[in-house]
Amino acid sequence: MELLTDPFGRVHDYMRISVTDRCNLRCIYCMPAEGMHFQPHDEIMSYEEIAAVVKALAPAGLRKVRLTGGEPLVRKELERLLAMLSSIPGIEDISLTTNGLLLPAKAAALKAAGLSRVNISLDSLRQERYSMITRGGDVAKVLKGIEAAHAAGLSPIKLNVVLMKGINDDEIKDFIALTINSPLNVRFIEYMPIGSATDAWRQSYLPLERVLEACREAGWETEKAHAPAGNGPSQDSRVVGAKGTFGLIHPVSEHFCDNCNRLRLTADGHIKACLYWSDEYNVRPLTGDPEAVRSLFRKALRGKPHNHEMALALEKKAQSHTPTSRRMSQIGG
């Protein structure tokens, strides 16, 4: 069967699936403190509908799935969806992005249902600052979530750190220090203007060269590292002799669109071939027809631009397409 290929020859074998737009935190880069409109439950795809989409795409080369939100673990019985997805022939890897707060109670069941690995969002190791960034979160609970993921055998465990100038950039060395004696994978991610290309974003944006500067300041010798499983666009290094790694993901300053293999499915059933642009296609009415599902995904890919233009947003320059108005929590992290 024809693979899921766009006009630039990029084969798409990986899909990020949002299971909810709701979250138990309100991170400053993900959603506003007030005024968010959450979708009614009847507008959210059922697990059966999600599994039907994945089952339709697997013969066309879909191999990897990541479950996201919002916070995916606030959706009840997520392990039921994991079991459904892991039973689909051709699906080789199922991962999860989470804030980690609910992992202590759920990590073992998620692993048993078919979850391979986990990415945990953690933007500060300092409680007061973590509470500010997340608008009320408890960093101690996240650290317990990391322990639970390790105990359950989820591997690799990746920590996602959105780096923000003047907010958490003074913790770069603290995060890298975590990798010296632990097999963690810390990934620093540039702050993206998803649904919010404002002056506040421009003031907080920080290129990731600062991470390498911090290593030199600490006197750490670094070396290139082998990418952990499911690494994607991260450029990985390690402090020489460290058990873990750290990576740089720089979608704004040095985009990696040439090698994009990602599709996105929003919680309300819309295909997004590119995270940044506004183009969407509603697949939910077609879930009972596998060929129609594949046809709509191919239509979405035919219209996928070669690259996003976040760097132009940083410079307040005109862009070739319309950026999405959805916030990250509404698309899927």
Side-chain angles (χ1 to χ4, degrees):
M1 184 179 291
E2 179 188 353
L3 298 178
L4 297 166
T5 307
D6 70 11
F8 305 97
R10 297 173 294 193
V11 176
H12 293 66
D13 63 356
Y14 171 33
M15 184 162 64
R16 294 192 170 194
I17 301 172
S18 175
V19 298
T20 181
D21 63 339
R22 298 170 188 266
C23 189
N24 47 1
L25 296 176
R26 295 288 184 275
C27 295
I28 57 177
Y29 55 81
C30 192
M31 65 174 78
E34 299 176 344
M36 280 294 296
H37 169 69
F38 296 105
Q39 293 165 313
H41 293 299
D42 62 358
E43 294 182 9
I44 300 297
M45 293 188 79
S46 69
Y47 289 162
E48 289 74 16
E49 289 171 324
I50 293 171
V53 171
V54 174
K55 189 173 183 179
L57 296 181
L62 183 67
R63 294 293 174 261
K64 298 181 288 185
V65 170
R66 173 174 295 278
L67 301 181
T68 73
E71 169 48 50
L73 296 186
V74 302
R75 180 133 182 209
K76 295 180 180 179
E77 299 181 344
L78 190 66
E79 60 272 19
R80 186 165 68 86
L81 175 61
L82 281 164
M84 295 166 71
L85 297 179
S86 63
S87 70
I88 296 174
I91 300 304
E92 301 170 352
D93 181 80
I94 305 175
S95 55
L96 175 77
T97 295
T98 174
N99 59 35
L101 295 179
L102 300 176
L103 273 177
K106 299 189 176 186
L110 296 170
K111 172 67 174 176
L115 184 65
S116 304
R117 52 196 175 85
V118 65
N119 289 17
I120 300 174
S121 299
L122 180 59
D123 300 312
S124 178
L125 298 169
R126 305 175 189 179
Q127 172 52 35
E128 184 176 349
R129 180 176 293 169
Y130 180 80
S131 181
M132 181 276 292
I133 293 172
T134 60
R135 299 189 178 100
D138 183 351
V139 72
K141 292 182 179 180
V142 185
L143 298 178
K144 289 180 180 178
I146 295 171
E147 294 173 0
H150 179 73
L154 295 169
S155 179
I157 298 172
K158 301 178 184 179
L159 304 185
N160 290 349
V161 183
V162 176
L163 204 59
M164 295 169 280
K165 182 167 59 178
I167 297 177
N168 63 351
D169 51 326
D170 59 343
E171 294 188 63
I172 293 172
K173 297 172 190 175
D174 296 336
F175 274 107
I176 294 177
L178 293 177
T179 70
I180 293 177
N181 296 311
S182 175
L184 291 171
N185 303 277
V186 173
R187 293 121 52 83
F188 297 99
I189 304 171
E190 287 183 340
Y191 186 4
M192 292 181 284
I194 306 302
S196 58
T198 62
D199 287 338
W201 162 68
R202 294 181 182 90
Q203 292 166 6
S204 298
Y205 168 78
L206 184 68
L208 296 186
E209 287 84 354
R210 177 67 194 115
V211 175
L212 301 179
E213 291 175 4
C215 288
R216 291 191 289 269
E217 292 168 4
W220 287 324
E221 183 182 353
T222 63
E223 60 186 3
K224 289 186 177 179
H226 292 295
N231 187 59
S234 179
Q235 296 179 347
D236 291 280
S237 302
R238 74 172 71 246
V239 175
V240 173
K243 293 182 178 179
T245 64
F246 68 92
L248 308 181
I249 301 177
H250 34 64
V252 180
S253 66
E254 194 176 332
H255 73 71
F256 34 85
C257 300
D258 285 347
N259 299 313
C260 185
N261 66 338
R262 304 181 182 195
L263 294 160
R264 290 176 183 267
L265 183 64
T266 66
D268 58 353
H270 286 78
I271 303 165
K272 288 189 72 68
C274 177
L275 168 66
Y276 187 60
W277 302 120
S278 61
D279 307 68
E280 296 184 358
Y281 300 82
N282 186 6
V283 74
R284 193 178 183 193
L286 306 177
T287 55
D289 184 341
E291 185 53 46
V293 168
R294 289 189 287 268
S295 293
L296 190 60
F297 270 87
R298 291 193 172 103
K299 179 179 179 180
L301 283 172
R302 285 197 297 271
K304 182 170 182 171
H306 181 264
N307 58 274
H308 63 67
E309 296 171 3
M310 296 183 197
L312 294 182
L314 187 64
E315 300 172 7
K316 295 187 178 182
K317 292 183 177 179
Q319 299 172 76
S320 62
H321 295 70
T322 303
T324 183
S325 60
R326 291 215 207 202
R327 301 299 292 261
M328 186 66 85
S329 63
Q330 297 170 312
I331 298 173

